[in-house]
Amino acid sequence: MNEATIQVQKLTKRFGDFTAVNNISFEVSTGEVFGFLGANGAGKTTAIRMLCGLSKPTSGWGRVAGFDITREPEMIKKNIGYMSQKFSLYDDLKVWENIRLFAGIYGVPHHTIATKTDEMLQRLGFASEKNSLVKSLPMGWKQKLAFSVAIFHKPKIVFLDEPTGGVDPLTRRQFWELIYEAATQGITVFVTTHYMDEAEYCNRVSIMVDGRIDAIGTPKQLKQQFESESIDEVFRKLARRATRKEV
Amino acid sequence: MKIKVSHLTKAYGTTDALQDISFQVPDGQIFGIIGPDGAGKTTLFRILATLLLPNSGTATIAGFDTIKDYKKIRNIIGYMPGRFSLYQDLSVIENLELFATAYHSNIRENYHLIKDIYQQIEPFNDRMAGKLSGGMKQKLALCCALIHKPEVLFLDEPTTGVDAVSRKEFWEMLRKLKDQGITILVSTPYMDEASLCDCIALIQNGTFLHIDTPGKIIDSFPKRLYAIEGDQRTQNLQQLRNNPYIDSVYLYGDRMHLTFKEDPDPHLPEVVLVTPSVEDCFIWLMKKDSYE
């Protein structure tokens, strides 16, 4: 872990007189698993949209995967992967068709897609499902496949927005093993979750309250700093500070 | 028994959504249906709420049969579906009035039931329901499900996608409703919510893996469970999986949980005995189920 894949300085986003993201600064290193936590309405989604080049900051500065989030949003989109529970794969396409589609969108050279697809399915143990429709796959397989598709084009960073919502506990753990594997290969993992035990799997976590980042550090540091037994407890202590009315 | 379900089965085409489900819920209990997406939770709720017919089996709510007496059941239950299903283009207060009126009641009559929850959304009375935040929608939906003072409340994944603090508050509200004598059937994918129920059923692939009190489910974990703290987790995990003493090992928050085939490996002095959680039990039951 050395050079930063995400660098953010005093990033702010206002909608009218409402400050959704308030002056946040942080860095995430290459190959780090970074947990981005916060209560509903704390500003996580707005912050992630700016990091992915989908929304321009009101003020402040940021670089993601080596590109400026204000001036080079299109370059950022090419160099990141994204997956959420709500949007991952197309149910009505076959497994290989989904891979083909996303690989094409992300500019993976055509002549390499077929071989890489076979390699990936082999590694996941899904080779026999290549021609199955995604909707026929068990939930757990779908999630693992969706993650592998999100990093198929070898992005510098992958954003995972509640990737394990509604997934059974065994699959959730296998999913985290895939995350670690990706991180070992140098992919930075930026993840949000409502499962507080998953926060403990991260190298570092940040906790957003009312648009600010009120805590950042390794799970161990945060537990010490807030004299808590678990990240769940840290989270509750911090989230209770929120004064912003949920509107 | 407030809810009695026996041998309920439901298939969609060739997919078995529910297979031979039986359970009972005594009056005034909180009964949790716990399991992942696609396990059959919503199908079960829709059958009990008289919105879907089972292929076979029977269910009664307060003694009424879900097929024969469906009209009677609809008067005595409150149902909060997993998907927000209020009228998005009606305001908060209009939604609430509509539901109260549909049940021949009014807001004043049962105000005490919803007071604690409603007070949090009352400042937004004139806002369209579609424009509320997730947490607010959830509170409004609960008010609408309660406004006719149901005997039984069906809550299908009320806390999915909700942050840890709001989830805790939601469960505190459920406790208070239970104290008012309402029987509650609630589903959730979050295993840490299991301990807040009087009794739970763990559901996977349309079948109940186990039904019992959270305490007894934990007691039924068949092996001694150990934990090991690990820093370089992935490397350790591979090593441990190849260890001949070890039966199973998986990530668990900031540590790993493991069971041994017989005695613990004497070369792993750092392992400590821990109490299993409902998640550990679920994992164990899932694995057992797939071997059988």
Side-chain angles (χ1 to χ4, degrees), chain B residues 173-227:
Chain B
M173 292 191 277
L174 294 194
R175 280 270 142 206
K176 285 187 193 157
L177 293 172
K178 175 196 150 99
D179 292 343
Q180 308 231 27
I182 298 177
T183 305
I184 302 173
L185 189 71
V186 56
S187 69
T188 178
Y190 297 104
M191 309 261 155
D192 58 347
E193 293 179 352
S195 61
L196 304 164
C197 302
D198 298 307
C199 191
I200 52 177
L202 303 179
I203 187 172
Q204 168 88 342
N205 296 331
T207 50
F208 281 173
L209 298 170
H210 208 94
I211 308 173
D212 216 325
T213 63
K216 282 191 181 145
I217 284 193
I218 286 167
D219 290 343
S220 72
F221 194 81
K223 292 204 157 199
R224 284 162 173 261
L225 185 72
Y226 293 85

Side-chain angles (χ1 to χ4, degrees), chain A residues 54-191:
Chain A
L54 298 170
S55 164
K56 280 207 189 319
T58 309
S59 63
W61 167 93
R63 281 180 87 75
V64 171
F67 301 100
D68 186 286
I69 59 172
T70 311
R71 285 184 290 112
E72 301 166 295
E74 294 310 313
M75 288 308 292
I76 290 178
K77 289 177 202 165
K78 283 184 192 156
N79 284 282
I80 60 173
Y82 177 84
M83 177 205 159
S84 78
Q85 187 208 353
K86 287 175 201 117
F87 177 77
S88 46
L89 300 172
Y90 291 97
D91 262 353
D92 296 321
L93 292 182
K94 292 174 181 166
V95 168
W96 74 265
E97 290 171 330
N98 265 287
I99 302 173
R100 177 80 184 73
L101 173 69
F102 284 101
I105 289 172
Y106 280 110
V108 176
H110 281 200
H111 62 277
T112 66
I113 294 178
T115 334
K116 282 187 178 164
T117 298
D118 289 339
E119 275 170 23
M120 182 188 107
L121 292 176
Q122 205 77 52
R123 208 172 47 242
L124 289 171
F126 291 171
S128 57
E129 302 296 328
K130 189 176 169 182
N131 289 306
S132 309
L133 286 177
V134 161
K135 70 173 159 212
S136 71
L137 297 181
M139 177 75 179
W141 288 33
K142 246 191 246 186
Q143 292 298 103
K144 281 182 260 179
L145 186 64
F147 177 71
S148 303
V149 168
I151 59 169
F152 190 80
H153 60 294
K154 297 248 157 29
K156 295 202 172 88
I157 174 163
V158 62
F159 288 90
L160 306 174
D161 195 3
E162 286 177 46
T164 56
V167 172
D168 73 70
L170 192 59
T171 306
R172 218 146 62 76
R173 285 167 173 75
Q174 292 165 349
F175 193 87
W176 274 91
E177 290 182 28
L178 284 182
I179 289 182
Y180 284 149
E181 210 180 289
T184 315
Q185 290 162 19
I187 297 177
T188 305
V189 181
F190 191 93
V191 58

